[in-house]
Amino acid sequence: MATRPQATSLIDALVAELREQLLDGRLPGGTVLVETDIAGRYEVARPTAKAAIERLTGEGLLRRDAHRSARVPVFDADDVADLYYVRTCVERQVMRELAQRRLVPPAAVEAQAQIRRLAEAEDSAVASVEPDVRFHRSLVDALDSPRLSRSHASIMAEMRLCMAQVQTYKLLSIAEIADEHDAILAAIADGDTEQADRALAVHLDRASARLRERMG
């Protein structure tokens, strides 16, 4: 039996535990989450399990059809195309704004350094998912717009789940990711808005194309 989560908010703790299992692959695509099973496994009340599942569904990490149990989504080529389309619409404008200000966020530099270390160590591609997401989120957060950050965070929660599932295919080289991130940061530091825009577009378009080809 799983250990009952301990925290000020039992719902928050259960959400955090289930989210971690979703993002590290312990709950793979297609897994069904039934409220009574979750309640029994974690020794919580059924309303607590229901609230946790509903929150994760709201984050895009679970999907629930009418009158059906929630399940872990299985991403297809259309899902990947749409996720990257939305990301590109948001992040390309962010790159231009950052380049205009020559604003290179320290958090992005830190995440990029971690990705570069993983590349040099030839580590598992899955290990790059978290710092990769953190790199892009830190660029958006640097504009200091709470609403923009919330919108992007919602996109990236679903994107992170998608990336965790598909990185096992080893389609995206960590070294390539690191090189493209370097190009983005260099363009921002130079104040080159057009190059920052192009570098971001190349980065996301390449990833989207490879994933869609593999899944399609």
Side-chain angles (χ1 to χ4, degrees), residues 96-118:
R96 299 180 72 88
E97 293 279 349
L98 293 174
Q100 287 177 1
R101 308 180 194 182
R102 295 178 182 252
L103 176 55
V104 178
V109 175
E110 180 182 348
Q112 170 64 354
Q114 182 178 351
I115 294 170
R116 181 62 72 185
R117 289 194 296 269
L118 291 172

Side-chain angles (χ1 to χ4, degrees), residues 25 56 109 186 201 203:
L56 291 167
V109 175
H203 177 53

Side-chain angles (χ1 to χ4, degrees), residues 93-167:
Q93 182 59 34
V94 169
M95 297 309 109
R96 299 180 72 88
E97 293 279 349
L98 293 174
Q100 287 177 1
R101 308 180 194 182
R102 295 178 182 252
L103 176 55
V104 178
V109 175
E110 180 182 348
Q112 170 64 354
Q114 182 178 351
I115 294 170
R116 181 62 72 185
R117 289 194 296 269
L118 291 172
E120 292 171 352
E122 299 183 352
D123 208 329
S124 164
V126 176
S128 70
V129 171
E130 190 280 329
D132 187 17
V133 170
R134 182 156 35 92
F135 173 85
H136 287 273
R137 287 198 58 182
S138 65
L139 293 173
V140 175
D141 291 345
L143 294 183
D144 199 25
S145 168
R147 291 173 180 81
L148 178 61
S149 291
R150 283 199 300 270
S151 298
H152 187 256
S154 176
I155 298 167
M156 293 307 290
E158 193 172 2
M159 176 62 73
R160 184 176 173 186
L161 178 60
C162 176
M163 291 170 67
Q165 291 182 7
V166 301
Q167 279 290 53

Side-chain angles (χ1 to χ4, degrees), residues 3 13 23 37 42 45 124 144 157 203:
T3 302
L23 296 179
D37 292 346
Y42 292 98
S124 164
D144 199 25
H203 177 53

